[in-house]
Amino acid sequence: MNHTVSAEQPLLAIDTSTQWLSLALRHNGHTRLFHQETGNRQSELILPQITTLLDEAGLTVRELAAIAYAQGPGTFTGLRIGAGVAQGLAAPFGIPLIPVPCLDAVASLCPGQTAVLAATDARMGEVFYAWFNTQTQQRLSDYQVGKADEIRLPENLSGSLNPDGISGIGNAFALPEPPPFPGRSDMPTAEHYLALTASGRYPAVSAAEAELLYVRNKVALTAAEQAARKGAA
């Protein structure tokens, strides 16, 4: 589905990929933002807060030109809440959905850089990560999950880059064992998802076609696997 949202059209963005509930509504050049650490209360708060943003803007759901949502990778339950609400709002009115990968939003916090490592906490001793060139708006690696200390430069960067030229970004850099590159632990808000959506680089889909981006097939370890991992550590 080809769909471009103009700057004048109302656009809602939903990010529930972390312990934060982040919502942004753009309308007539003005952006309203709700961004709060809510833990496991995302499902309880998301619809009332969306209603509040719409009421403040004098809008109804049916007037939205599109809804952007955090596609993943991120917390399993949070991603499902955000995508489910986006689908529920969009389906009755045929509103297009625009899935935006979470690591793309993280990388966008380092604009104009040739080597950006976006890395976020994946729990279970691992991180989600990908490499980007935000100067050319290109992703340089697959979306991956693994141990932070095992992250390496992709082949298309290695050998041609001074380590000082790497910009690391994401909450993985606040972990006790962060990735082995310089970085800061900033994370995006739903407002950054709005900006990426407005770029036109992310295709729209119908509510029925909306999907999540998982890079970890297994979302939980059994008790025996946890014990084995602790023993190995």
Side-chain angles (χ1 to χ4, degrees), residues 15 17-19 72-75 79 101-109 116-132 143-149 151 168-175 177-179 184-188 193 213 215-216:
D15 176 18
S17 62
T18 67
Q19 294 298 300
T75 62
L79 290 174
C102 296
L103 292 172
D104 293 41
V106 175
S108 74
L109 299 179
V116 174
L117 171 62
T120 59
D121 184 4
R123 308 293 177 86
M124 298 195 294
E126 294 181 324
V127 299
F128 299 121
Y129 67 96
W131 290 90
F132 296 84
Y143 301 111
Q144 300 173 71
V145 62
K147 296 281 192 184
D149 61 5
I151 298 176
I169 188 72
N171 61 11
F173 290 93
L175 294 172
E177 296 180 10
R184 51 193 173 90
S185 59
D186 297 355
M187 289 288 285
Y193 284 82
L213 173 62
V215 297
R216 175 191 278 149

Side-chain angles (χ1 to χ4, degrees), residues 14-18 42-43 46 69-88 102 210-214 219:
I14 299 171
D15 176 18
T16 52
S17 62
T18 67
Q42 284 178 331
S43 59
I46 184 169
Y69 69 94
Q71 187 183 26
T75 62
F76 184 70
T77 301
L79 290 174
R80 291 172 70 188
I81 290 169
V85 167
Q87 287 175 297
C102 296
E211 294 181 343
L212 292 172
L213 173 62
Y214 294 120
V219 296

Side-chain angles (χ1 to χ4, degrees), residues 121-142:
D121 184 4
R123 308 293 177 86
M124 298 195 294
E126 294 181 324
V127 299
F128 299 121
Y129 67 96
W131 290 90
F132 296 84
N133 181 331
T134 56
Q135 193 172 73
T136 59
Q137 311 299 339
Q138 291 176 298
R139 178 163 50 85
L140 305 177
S141 75
D142 292 334

Side-chain angles (χ1 to χ4, degrees), residues 28-181:
N28 287 339
H30 181 68
T31 298
R32 292 170 172 84
L33 178 69
F34 176 86
H35 184 71
Q36 183 175 310
E37 189 170 6
T38 56
N40 59 8
R41 297 183 64 218
Q42 284 178 331
S43 59
E44 171 191 343
L45 297 172
I46 184 169
L47 284 173
Q49 292 301 332
I50 289 174
T51 299
T52 297
L53 290 178
L54 289 169
D55 287 348
E56 289 174 351
L59 292 170
T60 62
V61 171
R62 69 168 64 243
E63 294 176 277
L64 293 172
I67 300 173
Y69 69 94
Q71 187 183 26
T75 62
F76 184 70
T77 301
L79 290 174
R80 291 172 70 188
I81 290 169
V85 167
Q87 287 175 297
L89 294 174
F93 308 111
I95 299 170
L97 295 182
I98 303 177
V100 178
C102 296
L103 292 172
D104 293 41
V106 175
S108 74
L109 299 179
C110 294
Q113 305 294 312
T114 56
V116 174
L117 171 62
T120 59
D121 184 4
R123 308 293 177 86
M124 298 195 294
E126 294 181 324
V127 299
F128 299 121
Y129 67 96
W131 290 90
F132 296 84
N133 181 331
T134 56
Q135 193 172 73
T136 59
Q137 311 299 339
Q138 291 176 298
R139 178 163 50 85
L140 305 177
S141 75
D142 292 334
Y143 301 111
Q144 300 173 71
V145 62
K147 296 281 192 184
D149 61 5
E150 295 175 357
I151 298 176
R152 299 291 180 266
L153 280 170
E155 289 185 5
N156 48 4
L157 278 178
S158 57
S160 63
L161 187 69
N162 184 317
D164 293 337
I166 296 171
S167 298
I169 188 72
N171 61 11
F173 290 93
L175 294 172
E177 296 180 10
F181 299 95

